[in-house]
Each structure stands twice: as C-alpha cells, then as structure tokens.
Amino acid sequence: MGNKVKVGIIGTGNISGIYLQNGGRFGSMEIVACADLDVARAKAKAEEHGIRGLSVEELLADPDIQMVINLTIPQAHATVCLQALQAGKHVYVEKPFAVKREEAREVVELARQKGLLVGSAPDTFLGGGIQTCIKLIEDGWIGTPIGATAFMVGGGHESWHPDPAFYYKTGGGPMFDMGPYYLTALVALLGPIAAVSGAARISYPERTITSKPKNGQKIEVEVPTHVAGIMEFAAGPIGTILTSFDAPGGAQLPFIEIYGSGGTLQVPDPNSFGGPIRIRRAGSGDWSELPLTHGYANNARGLGAADMAQAILTGRPHRANGELAYHVLEAMHGFHDAAEQGVRYRMHSTCEKPAPLPLGLREGELDA
C-alpha cells in the first residue's frame, strides 16, 4: 500500500481533539502537524500530541503534507478548502461541507480540475451501527423500503455551549448543525434524494445565553430553528424529517426509522458510530435487538478522512466524498427554500450511494 498519507489539521478548536486522538488509529494516514489563525493555540495543541504546530501559511506550504483536515468554523470551510486545493493538497472538511451551495460547488469543481480528492464529515454512517443497518436493508430483512422518519428535537445550545451564537447565524440552525448526520445516514441507507419540501419557523427571535462564560448575553436569531421536511428519494421511498432547537422539553421519538414491505428498522443515533439496532418484522408483535455486523462502533471520528487517505493510496473511490456532501448541503438548503417560497424543491444534484464497508475488518483497516 505504500507509506501513510501525511496529514495536517487546520483549526485547533474543540473538535480537533478527537481527530488528533484517533489519528494514529488508522493504517492509511499520519497526522504530522496542526495550524490555526491563533498560532499559539496550534503550538499548544501540537505539543499535547507530539506533532508540529504551524501557522496556516506554513502548513499549506509544507510539501510533505499531502492532505488537509479542515476543522475551521463553518463560515471558513469553503475558503480554507479552496486554499488547500490551490496548494495542491487533498482536503477533508468538517460538516457542513460549506455554508453556500455556490462555494461548495466551487470546491468540488476545483478538486476535479486539479485531480485532487475532497471529502467531508459526517463519517458516522461508516460506523458499525449504520453499516449494520445498510446490510440488513440490502439483505432484505425489511423487504422493499417504503419510507423513513428522522427526528432531532430538543432545546438550543445556549444552555450548555460556551459560545453558542454561531448556531443561530447563517450556516447554523438545527438543519445545518445536525441535519448532515441524519441526511447523510439516510442517503447511505436509501440512496440520493430527488426532491424536498417543508415548513420552517423562527420560534424565538432572541435567545438568552445561560451557559458560561457569556451568561446573560442575547443572541439575535437569523435562521429557522424548527424545520419540518419531506424527502422524495430517487429510488421511491418517501421520508419525513424534523429538526428543532425549539423544544426544551425534548421528545421521545426514534432517531431514524426505515419502513419496508416486510418490517420496520430502528436506526441508531446518526451522531454516533454504534448501536443499538432494533427491528420488528411484519407479523411479529415484538421488537428484537440485533448485534452489529461491523466494527468501528466506538467514537471513530476521522474514519471518513482515513477512508479518503486510503483512496489516495489505492486509487479506489472514497465514501464520505464531496459529491455526497454537496448533495446533503443542497437538500438542507432545499428545505429552507421550499419553506420560504412555498414550493416543492427539485434537487439539481445527485450522488452515488456510498459503498458499504467490508465485513470482518480489523481495527485500523478500511479494505478487506
């Protein structure tokens, strides 16, 4: 397979910790450096993990770094991706792929022009939980898929996040914050989406932060915080999705359910890598919990980046790719557009259903 792909991380905020922790877990990549606009923060993070701390310019100029993991804030995702591609580096970015469809398309096109790979979180659909569900559907355990539901219902982040304002600005809201997990999982399970429609509202135009250190500060809300949508999948199933930051009392709803002609499948939390998985076959009165058929059931954040590194080494397609990420981004915008304009939004993009991971992989492996 050759040497590991040498990787540099740009953005050393909270999420960088798990990427750095898992960086040595996979046989396809080695994280060798990190960078941040705050170089002192990058150097401190680098010292924790025994790698080099650099400025962004130094990292992009380093000829040994073949791939960048972009962990900047959403508003900077596209800009940093374009900079990395212009520097001749493959790039994998945290979700959402970008804030605007136009800038996301620019990233995909530039990567294609330069012969580079681009990928995006979430990669939780590669975990043992959803990979097991994909196998169950493909093996016919619930018959022909007919429909799906997805629910992410709770209160806002102002009660616990140390700096929650960006969740209520452009590029935020429950659909853009949590929607990527649910929609990516649904596309992995059922294939691409042909059209969406929906309704959305801002229930509370102003939010008060109750977490520290900004307790008492006000947030002016710019994006819908309660979004209900309908998805028409190209293969035929019809799904519904509800994402909300407006229900402080929470809900008792499944994360995702898939309905088929022969049964119903309860899919585990798409923001996690493991289970549990429950199924009720047609004619049965009871739910059964099923064991996982695949590994990577613990927090394997970075699995998608490692899969892309494997693709760089071997030339095979990677799963958490730019076309999938763009398709999910367009669907999220589509829900907002449909709600604002009172229309059924026909998707302009499509993507391949990601190939499932092989059975029997050992820790650190991505190919059989």
Side-chain angles (χ1 to χ4, degrees):
M1 186 174 68
N3 296 324
K4 293 183 178 183
V5 173
K6 287 184 168 53
V7 177
I9 286 177
I10 297 179
T12 55
N14 288 340
I15 192 65
S16 66
I18 189 62
Y19 277 91
L20 288 162
Q21 180 181 317
N22 282 342
R25 186 173 175 179
F26 307 104
S28 60
M29 69 178 186
E30 178 186 5
I31 298 174
V32 298
C34 64
D36 198 282
L37 289 176
D38 183 342
V39 179
R41 183 166 78 165
K43 289 184 179 296
K45 184 69 73 171
E47 188 173 351
E48 287 178 36
H49 295 274
I51 60 175
R52 290 180 292 143
L54 306 172
S55 70
V56 174
E57 292 75 17
E58 288 171 335
L59 190 149
L60 291 176
D62 189 328
D64 291 334
I65 293 174
Q66 302 159 268
M67 173 176 151
V68 166
I69 297 178
N70 176 2
L71 305 181
T72 57
I73 61 172
Q75 289 78 6
H77 280 181
T79 298
V80 173
C81 285
L82 291 169
Q83 289 173 342
L85 292 168
Q86 291 287 9
K89 303 183 188 306
H90 309 278
V91 62
Y92 180 91
V93 61
E94 249 303 324
K95 58 84 189 172
F97 188 39
V99 172
K100 297 178 180 178
R101 282 165 284 197
E102 298 79 12
E103 60 188 16
R105 196 73 244 168
E106 187 178 356
V107 170
V108 171
E109 292 299 332
L110 181 60
R112 183 179 292 115
Q113 291 168 20
K114 288 188 165 289
L116 297 167
L117 299 187
V118 61
S120 177
D123 54 5
T124 44
F125 75 95
L126 297 174
I130 291 172
Q131 287 295 305
T132 298
C133 290
I134 291 169
K135 179 167 176 55
L136 290 169
I137 292 171
E138 292 186 348
D139 287 353
W141 279 60
I142 61 168
T144 302
I146 303 300
T149 54
F151 299 101
M152 195 295 297
V153 181
H157 293 6
E158 66 272 19
S159 64
W160 61 270
H161 197 281
D163 191 16
F166 74 92
Y167 286 104
Y168 300 99
K169 305 301 181 183
T170 301
M175 180 55 72
F176 278 75
D177 177 40
M178 295 300 292
Y181 296 106
Y182 288 78
L183 293 170
T184 303
L186 286 166
V187 171
L189 291 160
L190 298 174
I193 301 165
V196 301
S197 53
R201 62 176 291 182
I202 297 174
S203 300
Y204 315 112
E206 184 179 84
R207 302 261 180 160
T208 301
I209 299 174
T210 57
S211 61
K212 295 185 182 302
K214 297 188 175 183
N215 183 280
Q217 292 187 20
K218 305 293 185 182
I219 304 170
E220 298 298 323
V221 179
E222 298 176 353
V223 293
T225 49
H226 188 90
V227 182
I230 297 173
M231 300 159 286
E232 302 171 42
F233 291 89
I238 296 172
T240 60
I241 184 169
L242 176 63
T243 65
S244 182
F245 285 166
D246 294 348
Q252 287 188 320
L253 294 163
F255 295 105
I256 296 174
E257 285 187 341
I258 308 294
Y259 310 111
S261 60
T264 295
L265 179 65
Q266 285 189 350
V267 180
D269 183 357
N271 191 21
S272 70
F273 287 84
I277 295 166
R278 301 174 75 226
I279 193 168
R280 187 163 67 183
R281 308 290 290 276
S284 173
D286 299 319
W287 290 91
S288 300
E289 188 166 324
L290 299 179
L292 301 185
T293 58
H294 289 69
Y296 296 118
N298 297 319
N299 191 342
R301 196 82 59 180
L303 180 56
D307 183 66
M308 192 173 95
Q310 182 85 349
I312 293 168
L313 294 169
T314 64
R316 60 122 166 111
H318 60 298
R319 295 170 173 89
N321 56 67
E323 294 293 346
L324 170 61
Y326 180 82
H327 187 65
V328 167
L329 178 69
E330 187 191 2
M332 294 192 298
H333 275 289
F335 290 122
H336 284 192
D337 288 354
E340 183 179 341
Q341 301 168 22
V343 299
R344 174 174 172 265
Y345 178 89
R346 288 185 175 272
M347 296 283 288
H348 299 282
S349 69
T350 188
C351 65
E352 295 291 327
K353 191 168 177 280
L357 285 173
L359 291 170
L361 294 178
R362 292 177 295 182
E363 177 70 13
E365 289 183 339
L366 291 154
D367 289 340

